[in-house]
Amino acid sequence: MNEHFDEEKTFILVSSFLTWFETDTTATAEANEEPEPREMHQYSEEEYAKRVPHVKYQHWKEVEKLCKRATSDTLHTYCIFAGLQYGKGEDKLHPVFKQAWHLAEEGLPIFGKGDNYIPLIHTTDLSSLVFELACQDAPLEQRYFFGVDEGQSTWKDIITAVNTHLGNGTTFTVQEQDYVFYENIEHFIINIKVEMGKTGEILEEDKWVSRAGLVENIASVVKEYKKERGVEPLRALLLGPPASGKSYFARELSEHYKVPTFTINDIIQDYQGQVQEFKEELSRIRTTKKAAALRVQLQELRQKKQEEAQAAREAGEEEGDAEQAEPPEEGEGAREREPDEDELFDDDLIEELERIKAESGEPDEEPEDDEQTTALQEALDRVNKVLSLREKPASVSEPEPVNPKDKKPPAQQKAKAAASKQAKTEEEPEESPKPIRYSDKALSFMLHWKLQQPTCRNQGYILDGFPKTPKQAKLLFEEGMPGEVPAPEDEEEEPPADDEKRAVEDSLFPDYLIQLKASDTYLTERIQQIALHHPHNNPTDFQRRLEFYKANNPQRNFTEPSRDASTGLTAYLDSALTNVEGAPREILYRQFDVESVPLVAPPPPQSKYEKKEHDSVFLSIAEYLGAPRNYGASPKAIGEEQIRLKNLEEESKTKREQEEEKQRLAEQQEKGELEKQKQEEQARVQEVKEQERIVLEARKEPLKQYLMTNIIPVLTKGIIEVCEQRPEDPIDYLADWLFRHNTIDDDMGI
């Protein structure tokens, strides 16, 4: 068949265990054995002929047969039944890991009971198996191999492991009719148990990445998944002097990178909130147990009363009165019927049970604690124990020495002092209670708890101004710290000295240390600006906090040689190494000058849909930290962004239309005013003309009268004469005529 191959060749087909999907998994029972629940059969590589494929993978089985049949002297063919692959960022299991990383409220899916066995293998181990199989010195007689690891895990085991190291611990059950909504569901509901077989011999122990399986190596698998998918947590510590803007930049970075940020006060509040949560959960569980115990007691009492009634009825029955007797309930099933809640928790039945308990003198037994309640109570006790670790006073005041000149006995002196203290207390106004100050040990326990929460474990964190001292940093980050919770009266465990420096915990230690710098002048000016809005930033406490910061973060200053820059908090963090064998991690440290930032934060944008612009310092920090380490915008976030842009566009359009309408109205108003002014000007001109006409009329009246009296009549007669005579020179004729006819002459025939 393959005589055309001059050299020996090896062909390896990587198939899937889905060609075993429908294989019978129950062990074969002996003929004489009684029918009992049988254990699950564990298949070996030699039983390949028994495999029954999934309906979608029927053709895969045919390809496997062709591969086996193609073997010859010059072509060596092998088939690997590969388990569900994991590692290297995940493939089929990626939706599960992604849902766990996002900490979905509903949790991770459990298909059915989740007790189905799923063959698994790491992607790298499968590649190594293929390579080793291809590099065999001599052809192997065996043609079928199981590509699986040693871990025989059920789906529930897988989900529990992923939830523990990546998710929030919650799950939900998926019913069989809902399987169709899940992609690659056949890979998750397969149920077959297999041996590793020859694979364990071909692939030597030191060449395995995950021989023990996914569940046993879940920590490294999750770490590999985060690295391959680019969703490693972003862990940053933000330090700086008071009033340098730490909280402002922490909030902005938290919003930009979608990671939580918190101050030590936030952590204290969250930690204190556990007390109420644990108490409520314990109360709920114990109440449920009491109700269950009461249900059992009432059921026993009800059954006892039924038995007594039945016995009395049977004893009192006579043969002649059989028809008059109350007929019993029909059928055996009626007696065995479980009473409903109303029947069981009948008021009369409860009163009778209480009366019986009162007569017997037996107190109500408290339900015994099981593992769950014991664990909750221990957690509550631990929280209360941590909250009892308060900061000790700096020094204890010594008793006032006895005045030798005072002749009064000591008892009278004490009474006098007490009276004086009481009088002073009555005169002074009552002070507000001082805030609780916890010890460094207590704060380290609280922060340990916070940083181990799933949100910080997956997305990361931005610490705002804590730790503040090298001691706090050692208690928080160093391996093995903070240790066991001490009793309040015990001395706190001191962190190791510098010469006993330990490695820091890799899962807690930040990746970046960002230190804000500013001059005292800038900080003083800024504290004066923000003191009105932030009472805790008052100038009185500012100087104390600034000196405390400088003492724990000394800078190299030749004018103050007493300050050693190598002993401060930043120097300790900058030189710390994580506890990763072979490749310890260091923190990345950079300083940023914030004096270019305005003293007061700029006001927010006028529109709630408009994104605010960031200052140059924030942009520099964001460039230093790099791109966000997540899956990008979620579908919900994308939808919200689209809605925001749409609303912003509509708002801009509305604003633009309003501006255009405002401008149109302004132009219309201006045009109306101009028209009004024009009309007023015309009216004024007309009025002036009328006044001028009246003045002229008044001025020409005497002249008119004179003309009408002395000139017009004579002139008229002269003109008439000219018209009648029609002389050659009418002007000369008229002048001569006027000269000859004097208007004073009374004898004129006019």
Side-chain angles (χ1 to χ4, degrees), residues 522-542:
Y522 172 85
L523 296 174
T524 304
E525 291 177 357
R526 189 167 189 272
I527 201 69
Q528 293 173 353
Q529 294 287 335
I530 64 177
L532 296 176
H533 305 286
H534 302 278
H536 68 280
N537 283 326
N538 59 79
T540 305
D541 291 339
F542 167 72

Side-chain angles (χ1 to χ4, degrees), residues 514-716:
I514 300 171
Q515 188 177 24
L516 306 180
K517 295 192 310 178
S519 64
D520 292 358
T521 304
Y522 172 85
L523 296 174
T524 304
E525 291 177 357
R526 189 167 189 272
I527 201 69
Q528 293 173 353
Q529 294 287 335
I530 64 177
L532 296 176
H533 305 286
H534 302 278
H536 68 280
N537 283 326
N538 59 79
T540 305
D541 291 339
F542 167 72
Q543 195 61 37
R544 174 187 58 81
R545 294 163 56 203
L546 181 60
E547 289 300 324
F548 180 82
Y549 173 81
K550 289 182 177 180
N552 287 282
N553 296 274
Q555 302 294 326
R556 289 183 174 85
N557 191 343
F558 296 104
T559 62
E560 296 183 57
S562 60
R563 288 187 172 179
D564 185 3
S566 63
T567 60
L569 173 61
T570 53
Y572 166 77
L573 295 171
D574 192 29
S575 62
L577 297 175
T578 61
N579 57 350
V580 179
E581 294 184 7
R585 178 170 59 87
E586 294 180 281
I587 197 170
L588 299 177
Y589 172 38
R590 183 173 294 185
Q591 295 180 339
F592 293 89
D593 195 330
V594 298
E595 294 203 17
S596 61
V597 179
L599 295 176
V600 180
Q606 295 181 355
S607 172
K608 63 180 180 179
Y609 304 115
E610 185 179 355
K611 287 187 176 181
K612 57 185 177 183
E613 295 183 359
H614 294 293
D615 55 73
S616 58
V617 176
F618 172 85
L619 296 176
S620 299
I621 296 175
E623 182 181 2
Y624 173 61
L625 295 179
R629 304 176 182 181
N630 50 42
Y631 280 98
S634 63
K636 181 180 178 181
I638 293 174
E640 292 175 351
E641 179 65 12
Q642 291 175 347
I643 293 173
R644 185 191 71 82
L645 293 175
K646 182 179 179 181
N647 291 335
L648 182 61
E649 184 180 356
E650 291 178 354
E651 188 180 55
S652 301
K653 182 180 178 182
T654 303
K655 188 176 180 180
R656 187 168 57 253
E657 291 176 351
Q658 291 175 350
E659 290 292 334
E660 292 175 355
E661 179 67 17
K662 185 178 179 180
Q663 184 177 359
R664 187 186 65 80
L665 292 175
E667 292 176 354
Q668 186 177 358
Q669 184 179 1
E670 184 180 0
K671 185 178 179 181
E673 291 178 355
L674 291 174
E675 186 68 25
K676 184 179 179 182
Q677 290 177 2
K678 184 178 180 181
Q679 292 176 358
E680 290 177 352
E681 183 67 18
Q682 290 177 349
R684 188 179 65 80
V685 171
Q686 189 69 23
E687 184 179 358
V688 170
K689 287 181 178 181
E690 182 66 21
Q691 290 177 355
E692 289 179 350
R693 188 188 63 80
I694 294 172
V695 171
L696 289 174
E697 289 290 335
R699 290 178 63 185
K700 76 179 182 179
E701 188 63 30
L703 181 60
K704 179 181 177 182
Q705 187 67 29
Y706 172 78
L707 291 174
M708 292 299 295
T709 304
N710 299 310
I711 295 178
I712 295 301
V714 177
L715 184 60
T716 303

Side-chain angles (χ1 to χ4, degrees), residues 253-323:
L253 291 171
S254 172
E255 182 179 352
H256 179 70
Y257 286 98
K258 300 297 184 290
V259 297
T261 181
F262 31 73
T263 63
I264 190 62
N265 291 330
D266 299 331
I267 297 172
I268 291 174
Q269 292 179 2
D270 293 344
Y271 197 82
Q272 291 172 339
Q274 290 185 102
V275 176
Q276 186 63 26
E277 292 177 4
F278 285 141
K279 286 182 178 179
E280 291 177 356
E281 184 65 13
L282 281 170
S283 176
R284 185 191 64 80
I285 294 174
R286 287 167 177 166
T287 301
T288 304
K289 286 185 175 182
K290 285 182 179 180
L294 178 61
R295 182 182 292 104
V296 172
Q297 293 173 357
L298 291 174
Q299 194 166 358
E300 291 177 353
L301 179 60
R302 187 174 184 275
Q303 185 175 358
K304 182 179 178 182
K305 289 175 66 66
Q306 289 178 348
E307 291 175 354
E308 291 176 354
Q310 180 67 18
R313 188 165 49 250
E314 291 177 355
E317 282 181 353
E318 292 182 0
E319 195 171 331
D321 300 332
E323 295 181 0

Side-chain angles (χ1 to χ4, degrees), residues 419-430:
S420 175
K421 184 178 180 182
Q422 182 178 1
K424 184 178 180 181
T425 304
E426 292 175 354
E427 292 176 1
E428 295 179 355
E430 185 178 356

Side-chain angles (χ1 to χ4, degrees), residues 43-62:
Y43 281 93
S44 62
E45 294 164 330
E46 291 77 14
E47 298 177 280
Y48 62 86
K50 297 181 180 179
R51 68 190 188 281
V52 180
H54 187 279
V55 63
K56 291 167 57 176
Y57 290 81
Q58 182 67 44
H59 58 289
W60 284 46
K61 182 179 179 181
E62 299 304 319

